[in-house]
Amino acid sequence: MGKFSNGIFGNFYGKIGNVVGSSWRGIDYLKSLPKINKNRVPTQAQVEQQHRFALMTDFLAPLRPLLDVGYKNQAKKATAYNVALSENIKNAITGNYPQFLVDFPALSLSSGVLLLPTNLAVAAAAELKVDFSWTDNSGKGKSLKTDNVFTLAFCPELDEAEYTLSEATRENESLSMTLPAEWDGKEVETYLFMASANGKEVTRTYYGGRITVTA
């Protein structure tokens, strides 16, 4: 693949023969189409990787708004979502083919060096609530009172997710999520991370464990 700019006919986008012109983040590219052997049989390793890819794509696709924040700083030569997808395929899948499963404790929604708050905890509360709590440690490293909080609750049984975007800050020291009525009695996986108000600094992901929702 080659980069180009302002050819004799200007920038080229589209397809001519086996050459494709495209642009990403303001950089123009020319690349040739891959040669496809229709009779090629994938290896066992390729089949397994395809299954891992499908599993994690299905899981992460609805979470793109979280990942766009959590992996923003890692998006150098790929989108934030694609970086998150690659990392979680590598680190957050367990089991043996064809019974691959998402490894919930290893799941990552964010990547960065901003400090998480101290004394993080997650607990189920009445009226379908999940309570996240922490101690404000503003001033440690680059931590600020205005750092935004992002949370996720995922119900494996229903294959459904609920999340919050910037509904609390580090100085608030708590956030309560209200989950759907059909989640009553179900177990959910919980997560939290923080990002600076300008999005330039992000924490790693905190896994809050599995809790049972109560009405």
Side-chain angles (χ1 to χ4, degrees), residues 48-128:
E48 293 183 12
Q49 186 65 6
Q50 289 167 1
H51 276 72
R52 292 188 184 94
F53 182 86
L55 171 67
M56 195 54 69
T57 298
D58 287 345
F59 182 83
L60 292 181
L63 308 180
R64 188 181 289 264
L66 287 170
L67 302 175
D68 284 344
V69 176
Y71 277 87
K72 178 181 178 180
N73 290 339
Q74 308 301 318
K76 307 300 182 184
K77 296 183 179 180
T79 64
Y81 172 79
N82 284 341
V83 175
L85 178 62
S86 177
E87 181 167 321
N88 281 290
I89 288 174
K90 184 185 302 182
N91 300 319
I93 292 179
T94 188
N96 298 311
Y97 173 83
Q99 303 298 322
F100 290 132
L101 298 169
V102 175
D103 185 356
F104 292 113
L107 186 71
S108 177
L109 305 173
S110 59
S111 179
V113 297
L114 184 66
L115 293 177
L116 280 165
T118 56
N119 302 318
L120 268 162
V122 183
E127 299 181 343
L128 304 169

